[in-house]
Amino acid sequence: MADREYIRNFSIIAHIDHGKSTLADRMLELTGAVEVGRHEEQLLDNMELERERGITIKSHAVKMDYTATDGDTYEFNLIDTPGHVDFTYEVSRSLAACEGALLLVDATQGIEAQTISNLYLAMENDLEIIPVVNKIDMPTARPEDIAVELADFIGCEITDVIMVSAKTGEGIPDVLEAIVGRIPPPSGNSDSPTKALIFDSFYDSYRGVVVYIRVVDGEIAVRDHIRFFASGKEFEVDEVGYLRLNLEKTDKLSAGEVGYIMASIKNVGDARVGDTITTLDNIADRPLPGYKTVKPMVYSGFYPAATEDFENLRSAIEKLRLNDASLIFEPETSAALGFGFRCGFLGLLHLEITQERLFREYGLDIVATVPNVEYRVVKNDGETVLVENPANMPDAVDVDYIEEPFVEAEIITPHLYVSPIMDLVKDRRGEYIATEYVDPDRVLLRFSIPLSEVIFDFFDKMKTVSRGYASFDYHITGYRKADLVRLDVRVNGDIVDALSVIIHRDRTYDWGQKLVSKLKELIPRQMYEVIIQAAIGSRVISRARRAPLRKNVTAKCYGGDITRKRKLLERQKEGKRRMKMVGNVEIPQDAFFAILKIER
Amino acid sequence: MWDISSTDSVFRESEKLSDSPKYGCYVHVPFCAGEKCPYCGFYSIRYSPESATEYIETVLQHARSTEVPVIDTLYFGGGTPTSLSPEAISRLITKLKSILPVEDNSEITVEANPETVDNETTEALFEAGVNRVSLGAQSFRPAQLKTLGRRHDIDKIYEAYEILHKYPFSLSFDLIFGIPRQSVRDWEISLDKAIELGPDHISIYCLSFESGTPFADALRMGAIYPVGDDVEREMYDLASSRLTVADYGRYEISNFAKPKCESRHNLKYWTGAGYIAFGPAAHGYIPGPPNWTRYAFPSNLEEYTLLINSGREPLAAVEKLDLQKRSAEFLMLRLRLDHGFSEEEITAHLPELEPAEYIAALQPLIDDNKILLEAGQVRIAPRDMFISDAIIFRAVELTDPYIKEIVTKRKSAGSETSMLEYSTRFRFPGGS
């Protein structure tokens, strides 16, 4: 164990592609944590999905030993944070475990919206900020301009800004020295009542839950009896250790240190991010501040593509949940899709990742319904119901009003694209709040906008209208009244419950039209004429007709053909499992997927 | 593969179906005079006198070593059976008739292509006892004959007709529609010319792009295009009404006949009657409890010959039909017929079932008028014949739960044991 004076806990705040992982790799090499050139690039993103998408989903941490120019050896704990707005809370807890942060900005791009919101989070946690400009080796780099911008933004001297190229390694030693020199050592006390902050946890099928912690005060040692404040549950510690590239056992973790514990915990829900652990023989009377129960923001029905996979889906989701306390689910049934689960997610990325993992890790094909936010419906009798599945929307006649979650969004964009972005925001029912200058060329726009409008393709649209230059972030501000209705899709009169959406009244016509024409394209000709309608209650707002099948026949069927033909029939039956029946209409699963991809 | 030990008992058990229809016999003649037609998916090779002679002796050997039930239809298909020399085809038919128990009033059909019909061959067919000829006319428009890669022209059709007409054959024409670049008008002309000649029977086939054929390749490459579902439907509906008006009744999706001129042999396929087979790529069916069995010979003349010569059973595939498969086939085949099926026929082919419950399972299709139920007879609504695959598929789906329920019941009652043994009515020298 290092003396607290020699510990530095920090994280890196950066926009996607600004070089966070590369910087981390160089630091690991320079501190000897890994050999140069021996490892896979981007060590910290160890989930295959993270590497592919270039984003960090889980928090990670790694301990490095750095011998500084003053001759002393320091213990560095780099705590890596998730890089997506879906995981803002997790980011804030990771930052709370640090005393400092490297603010890493691309010399060719400048500061971006995501960086700013994370920077604010860091400032709220009183972190020492070290501004770092990366990619100074690029021909299009503007390091001096960016340095000025950064200095202005965080209120420091231009000389405080460190110039690096994580790719070539230039300037990295300066970063390491700055970490030693500028980031304060942890302030806690090993004799005070024990408080350790959980900044992540994951489930290992052999060892149970591994909890990543930052000990703030006191100590946690093997055989200690510990208590989690949020769940109230108690466990005996089996193992504690440091987070190197692998787990490294030790006897105890003291105030200021970062590491892991294992205590035969079966459920990550018992070791939630942001919760505080204390020890029974040195018990704290209150937890560290900042713990929140994470609430899902986006809901979607998950149905197995093959109906007989329902139980497999249940066990797969249960297993994913072991590792993902923010995933919530409960069984639901759909007339169109059969048995499935209504799942709650932190955001659309979280949803996609979950769906992807179900497929990759469990081989389960999922039909997901159109995602929606949670609505607050106030009925005429004064009762308030939370609606997370459009099918459960009370009858329009019983509804007094409906509220939906709103967010405050920050968009940073060059001047040039302010106008198209304003148009986009207005089109999405957003309200303009304010403009601030980030630098002479770029502005920060603030808007209030319904979450439901943001979770779909807002980000992609914004990237398109700004040619990729705008960046975006948001946080939830609360619920607001809106003129919302439920739009149903009917095929031959029967409602396809899985396609119902709650939508703003002004949008219904446009959406209904798109939905109906898409379905017309995707529903194959069948024995019967198929009438596809979009309707609000009994009022039809869009309609299309799919003409009945004209030909579906085996011209020749004689002796030899019979076995072959019957096998075709059996194969068709297999294919039919990919169809969902609503009344007498067969809807291909592709239709449910395609609906998700319709442009708003 | 060919377990003879259980033959006797099964033989006897099958004999109990004394009122069951007689067997048919299909002989595949795998030769064509020239290049194979580019749309044809059947097994055939280029004709040569040597291989034809060897083929005939092999088939006769096969027939001699097989114990065969009484037969009342004999069908020579191909390939082009009439690509054989008059002497050869005569020998094949005459000898087979003497080896197999063929009833006196049997229907004996030979497929012929117009360019292979000459006086000698026709005389030989007649002398050998052939009483039905199915002529592959295909089209009365030069452009379509060319597209199809046929070796005959329209004059040849008329010449062949003139020759065949001199004999008391029951005559059938095959016509193809939905040929790339064929117009509805082209089709109408072909139909009218066929009707004008007045054969007893007309089969109309919508061209299908069989995988592995040059046509399928050309389709994939975008070199040819189908005329499309809507045009095909128009052509089919046009043919149905033209033929009906001309006194050709539709008895199966693609088959129309003057009264009492239906193909007795082909009806065996659709009514689930038994048929045996000879020749490469030929398929046979032995119905009846407990082992409803389909089998096939290899689609390769050399392999077929080799197996027969070595005294072995030339089987390429044997499949016993469990209840589920039998039911699927029953619907698939019976619903092709204008007549459909009756409760009695359910009982005969699916004896495990309760006919009323089976029919009840089809109720949604009956409610939608896709299937008609009249006086106990179940059939596809005539106007929907050209979408019969969709209806049959749905019928199989709808009956599936009932079939599964019966299978489960029978399993728990332990009555499904005999499915384990394989047996046949045929005996081979090398077998036991």
Side-chain angles (χ1 to χ4, degrees):
Chain A
M1 173 205 139
D3 188 317
R4 224 174 38 248
E5 280 308 307
Y6 295 99
I7 297 175
R8 297 293 181 271
N9 297 322
F10 64 98
S11 104
I12 305 174
I13 295 169
H15 191 69
I16 185 165
D17 288 338
H18 279 200
K20 180 169 75 166
S21 302
T22 315
L23 175 64
D25 289 352
R26 287 302 93 76
M27 290 168 59
L28 287 167
E29 287 169 5
L30 276 185
T31 58
V34 294
E35 282 171 42
V36 179
R38 190 194 61 98
H39 60 276
E40 296 170 77
E41 284 292 302
Q42 309 192 345
L43 286 159
L44 291 181
D45 289 345
N46 48 24
M47 215 189 284
E48 186 188 2
L49 260 173
E50 292 183 322
R51 287 218 180 96
E52 270 178 30
R53 292 185 178 236
I55 48 166
T56 307
I57 299 161
K58 299 283 285 176
S59 300
H60 305 271
V62 64
K63 180 171 175 252
M64 298 171 251
D65 300 319
Y66 174 62
T67 305
T69 48
D70 63 13
D72 288 327
T73 297
Y74 291 83
E75 173 184 323
F76 281 8
N77 289 299
L78 166 58
I79 299 177
D80 192 23
T81 56
H84 192 274
V85 61
D86 283 4
F87 306 105
T88 302
Y89 171 71
E90 283 77 359
V91 175
S92 79
R93 293 307 86 203
S94 291
L95 293 175
C98 301
E99 280 75 39
L102 305 178
L103 173 63
L104 184 70
V105 175
D106 187 325
T108 67
Q109 312 248 334
I111 198 159
E112 305 282 5
Q114 177 88 66
T115 321
I116 292 181
S117 31
N118 285 348
L119 177 63
Y120 287 157
L121 284 175
M123 288 169 160
E124 277 168 30
N125 284 292
D126 289 329
L127 265 53
E128 177 65 33
I129 308 294
I130 300 175
V132 180
V133 175
N134 189 20
K135 305 196 190 179
I136 56 168
D137 59 311
M138 299 277 280
T140 52
R142 302 176 287 119
E144 287 75 23
D145 296 349
I146 306 294
V148 171
E149 179 186 320
L150 276 182
D152 277 359
F153 209 85
I154 58 177
C156 67
E157 298 300 319
I158 292 180
T159 49
D160 292 340
V161 181
I162 304 173
M163 301 291 183
V164 307
S165 165
K167 203 171 100 194
T168 65
E170 185 183 348
I172 307 299
D174 300 338
V175 175
L176 297 174
E177 284 300 310
I179 291 168
V180 170
R182 295 196 221 165
I183 296 177
S187 60
N189 187 336
S190 291
D191 302 323
S192 303
T194 306
K195 286 179 184 175
L197 172 69
I198 302 174
F199 62 88
D200 201 8
S201 63
F202 72 92
Y203 181 80
D204 179 297
S205 49
Y206 297 105
R207 301 189 278 194
V209 176
V210 181
V211 190
Y212 287 3
I213 57 167
R214 152 72 196 273
V215 181
V216 176
D217 285 314
E219 290 178 348
I220 294 184
V222 177
R223 302 272 77 87
D224 274 356
H225 290 264
I226 54 169
R227 176 186 292 166
F228 291 82
F229 270 93
S231 64
K233 296 229 168 115
E234 294 179 4
F235 299 90
E236 184 183 336
V237 176
D238 301 325
E239 185 177 324
V240 301
Y242 296 115
L243 298 157
R244 299 275 185 183
L245 283 182
N246 298 308
L247 304 181
E248 182 187 286
K249 270 196 223 182
T250 184
D251 304 331
K252 63 175 182 182
L253 293 172
S254 305
E257 287 193 303
V258 172
Y260 69 92
I261 61 164
M262 288 186 244
S264 305
I265 303 163
K266 293 283 175 287
N267 185 348
V268 285
D270 291 333
R272 287 174 180 273
V273 172
D275 193 10
T276 303
I277 303 176
T278 189
T279 46
L280 295 189
D281 51 16
N282 189 13
I283 196 159
D285 55 357
R286 68 171 72 91
L288 296 160
Y291 174 74
K292 278 199 298 193
T293 316
V294 179
K295 277 199 53 179
M297 289 292 145
V298 177
Y299 295 82
S300 168
F302 270 30
Y303 292 84
T307 44
E308 63 269 25
D309 274 339
F310 175 73
E311 283 305 327
N312 295 338
L313 177 59
R314 179 200 295 279
S315 81
I317 294 182
E318 276 168 0
K319 281 187 197 128
L320 282 188
R321 200 187 140 75
L322 285 177
N323 225 338
D324 183 357
S326 49
L327 172 66
I328 67 146
F329 66 99
E330 59 181 46
E332 72 171 10
T333 49
S334 150
L337 300 177
F339 293 102
F341 298 93
R342 175 86 0 195
C343 300
F345 304 97
L346 298 176
L348 221 53
L349 177 76
H350 187 206
L351 183 158
E352 279 173 27
I353 289 167
T354 306
Q355 184 168 5
E356 186 92 18
R357 291 186 65 187
L358 286 171
F359 180 72
R360 287 196 194 191
E361 294 166 32
Y362 300 93
L364 288 167
D365 242 340
I366 298 299
V367 179
T369 65
V370 180
N372 55 268
V373 299
E374 185 174 62
Y375 296 94
R376 228 183 244 168
V377 180
V378 178
K379 300 197 342 191
N380 289 324
D381 60 10
E383 187 195 351
T384 301
V385 256
L386 293 175
V387 174
E388 57 211 33
N389 177 354
N392 299 338
M393 180 63 96
D395 266 352
V397 289
D398 298 328
V399 173
D400 184 3
Y401 61 91
I402 303 173
E403 292 181 329
E404 65 176 330
F406 266 67
V407 300
E408 191 175 307
E410 290 118 34
I411 297 176
I412 292 182
T413 175
H415 290 296
L416 202 55
Y417 307 112
V418 167
S419 154
I421 287 177
M422 291 285 224
D423 289 344
L424 172 65
V425 168
K426 220 155 77 190
D427 186 51
R428 297 301 179 90
R429 299 191 283 132
E431 289 165 18
Y432 168 78
I433 300 174
T435 308
E436 290 164 31
Y437 276 84
V438 180
D439 59 40
D441 300 321
R442 298 191 306 161
V443 292
L444 169 70
L445 305 170
R446 285 187 202 282
F447 296 98
S448 176
I449 188 168
L451 175 63
S452 65
E453 299 285 350
V454 165
I455 57 174
F456 289 98
D457 54 356
F458 184 86
F459 187 71
D460 293 339
K461 272 280 163 62
M462 186 200 71
K463 283 283 181 197
T464 306
V465 301
S466 69
R467 307 203 171 178
Y469 282 109
S471 64
F472 165 70
D473 198 21
Y474 65 84
H475 59 273
I476 301 283
T477 48
Y479 274 79
R480 277 168 62 175
K481 235 189 239 189
D483 188 9
L484 300 167
V485 289
R486 189 177 86 186
L487 183 72
D488 294 323
V489 174
R490 296 170 182 270
V491 290
N492 286 356
D494 292 311
I495 291 183
V496 188
D497 54 4
L499 294 180
S500 295
V501 291
I502 293 169
I503 189 169
H504 193 267
R505 194 180 298 276
D506 295 346
R507 276 296 164 67
T508 48
Y509 183 76
D510 186 44
W511 177 246
Q513 200 87 305
K514 283 177 177 163
L515 205 59
V516 162
S517 54
K518 191 80 196 172
L519 279 174
K520 183 186 170 180
E521 196 182 296
L522 290 167
I523 294 180
R525 279 183 166 192
Q526 344 221 321
M527 280 188 275
Y528 319 93
E529 170 183 71
V530 178
I531 303 292
I532 307 155
Q533 297 166 314
I536 302 167
S538 57
R539 192 166 63 86
V540 174
I541 59 167
S542 184
R543 178 185 188 279
R545 170 182 179 271
R546 190 80 171 110
L549 202 57
R550 295 279 288 157
K551 177 205 172 195
N552 189 358
V553 70
T554 305
K556 269 193 173 181
C557 198
Y558 296 101
D561 264 354
I562 288 163
T563 304
R564 198 166 65 108
K565 179 63 192 149
R566 196 197 67 238
K567 286 185 174 158
L568 285 176
L569 202 74
E570 283 159 4
R571 270 216 291 286
Q572 199 181 343
K573 239 161 106 182
E574 289 295 305
K576 180 61 186 292
R577 287 169 46 208
R578 308 261 152 217
M579 293 286 211
K580 300 295 180 189
M581 283 298 262
V582 175
N584 60 6
V585 181
E586 287 175 2
I587 303 179
Q589 278 176 8
D590 291 354
F592 295 93
F593 293 124
I595 298 302
L596 300 178
K597 301 216 152 56
I598 296 181
E599 283 207 6
R600 297 232 144 190
Chain B
M1 155 162 66
W2 214 235
D3 178 6
I4 300 300
S5 58
S6 59
T7 306
D8 279 354
S9 64
V10 177
F11 207 159
R12 273 198 298 277
E13 200 175 337
S14 297
E15 284 302 283
K16 280 184 229 153
L17 290 170
S18 53
D19 55 347
S20 68
K22 302 261 170 25
Y23 271 66
C25 175
Y26 175 76
V27 181
H28 191 71
V29 184
F31 299 107
C32 285
E35 284 288 312
K36 207 175 150 178
C37 299
Y39 60 88
C40 175
F42 293 101
Y43 171 64
S44 84
I45 52 175
R46 180 76 70 104
Y47 167 81
S48 80
E50 299 74 33
S51 47
T53 307
E54 193 185 15
Y55 158 79
I56 289 169
E57 295 319 312
T58 308
V59 165
L60 296 178
Q61 170 62 28
H62 191 182
R64 275 190 288 265
S65 45
T66 306
E67 190 184 309
V68 180
V70 175
I71 281 164
D72 70 350
T73 69
L74 188 51
Y75 194 105
F76 295 86
T80 313
T82 47
S83 64
L84 299 176
S85 70
E87 300 72 35
I89 197 159
S90 171
R91 175 172 165 79
L92 176 64
I93 299 170
T94 323
K95 283 284 174 190
L96 263 184
K97 277 174 65 188
S98 69
I99 296 164
L100 305 174
V102 181
E103 275 199 340
D104 280 350
N105 62 347
S106 292
E107 176 192 89
I108 302 176
T109 306
V110 171
E111 287 179 352
N113 285 337
E115 77 278 9
T116 59
V117 175
D118 55 29
N119 286 310
E120 293 72 30
T121 305
T122 311
E123 180 66 24
L125 295 178
F126 181 68
E127 286 300 321
V130 171
N131 50 26
R132 188 171 180 274
V133 174
S134 173
L135 188 69
Q138 315 309 8
S139 175
F140 284 82
R141 299 291 277 170
Q144 271 93 65
L145 286 174
K146 187 157 178 276
T147 306
L148 292 175
R150 300 294 297 189
R151 279 181 298 280
H152 67 268
D153 56 18
I154 294 162
D155 290 344
K156 271 276 179 288
I157 303 177
Y158 285 102
E159 271 172 44
Y161 175 80
E162 287 308 324
I163 295 170
L164 293 167
H165 199 59
K166 288 186 231 153
Y167 296 86
F169 295 132
S170 179
L171 195 57
S172 175
F173 281 3
D174 279 1
L175 295 178
I176 297 179
F177 66 97
I179 303 162
R181 294 187 300 277
Q182 182 185 38
S183 68
V184 175
R185 178 68 189 138
D186 285 327
W187 172 234
E188 189 177 22
I189 292 168
S190 274
L191 261 179
D192 286 347
K193 298 214 160 156
I195 291 169
E196 204 176 275
L197 291 178
D200 304 285
H201 185 283
I202 296 180
S203 302
I204 54 161
Y205 298 116
C206 185
L207 181 70
S208 57
F209 295 82
E210 298 294 329
S211 68
T213 63
F215 259 40
D217 295 339
L219 179 71
R220 210 174 44 243
M221 311 283 283
I224 53 172
Y225 299 95
V227 298
D229 290 359
D230 290 316
V231 173
E232 285 168 359
R233 175 63 176 266
E234 198 181 336
M235 289 174 168
Y236 182 76
D237 287 349
L238 173 77
S240 297
S241 61
R242 273 301 148 86
L243 289 166
T244 310
V245 168
D247 204 26
Y248 292 92
R250 179 175 64 189
Y251 66 102
E252 193 260 0
I253 292 168
S254 305
N255 287 279
F256 296 75
K258 291 265 175 76
K260 299 195 192 306
C261 292
E262 294 86 359
S263 164
R264 281 160 56 195
H265 181 82
N266 287 341
L267 272 169
K268 288 192 193 295
Y269 298 133
W270 304 311
T271 56
Y275 50 92
I276 58 162
F278 297 107
H283 294 242
Y285 177 48
I286 314 159
N291 294 319
W292 316 67
T293 306
R294 291 198 184 276
Y295 61 93
F297 303 136
S299 298
N300 180 314
L301 179 57
E302 283 163 27
E303 193 183 338
Y304 174 76
T305 307
L306 205 73
L307 287 165
I308 298 285
N309 287 346
S310 62
R312 278 186 292 159
E313 181 56 40
L315 288 173
V318 175
E319 185 175 37
K320 282 177 284 179
L321 305 179
D322 58 21
L323 178 58
Q324 212 166 350
K325 288 177 177 157
R326 231 180 315 129
S327 165
E329 287 194 354
F330 181 81
L331 294 168
M332 188 180 95
L333 296 169
R334 290 292 179 141
L335 288 174
R336 296 182 67 83
L337 296 169
D338 261 54
H339 263 88
F341 56 84
S342 64
E343 291 202 0
E344 292 71 38
E345 285 161 331
I346 300 173
T347 305
H349 292 270
L350 306 164
E352 302 92 331
L353 304 186
E354 207 51 68
E357 287 190 45
Y358 193 58
I359 293 172
L362 299 171
Q363 198 57 45
L365 282 168
I366 297 168
D367 290 342
D368 288 330
N369 289 318
K370 295 290 162 195
I371 282 185
L372 307 181
L373 171 61
E374 289 156 346
Q377 198 74 21
V378 178
R379 64 193 178 112
I380 288 181
R383 66 168 179 284
D384 286 323
M385 258 320 185
F386 212 57
I387 59 162
S388 56
D389 277 4
I391 297 170
I392 288 164
F393 177 66
R394 187 85 187 103
V396 170
E397 264 190 328
L398 287 170
T399 49
D400 209 37
Y402 172 56
I403 299 290
K404 283 191 175 135
E405 178 194 318
I406 297 293
V407 169
T408 314
K409 263 190 207 156
R410 290 173 62 83
K411 258 189 200 141
S412 61
S415 48
E416 258 343 66
T417 52
S418 56
M419 288 302 291
L420 295 171
E421 317 152 20
Y422 180 71
S423 64
T424 175
R425 308 176 68 151
F426 308 126
R427 182 166 303 140
F428 275 80
S432 57

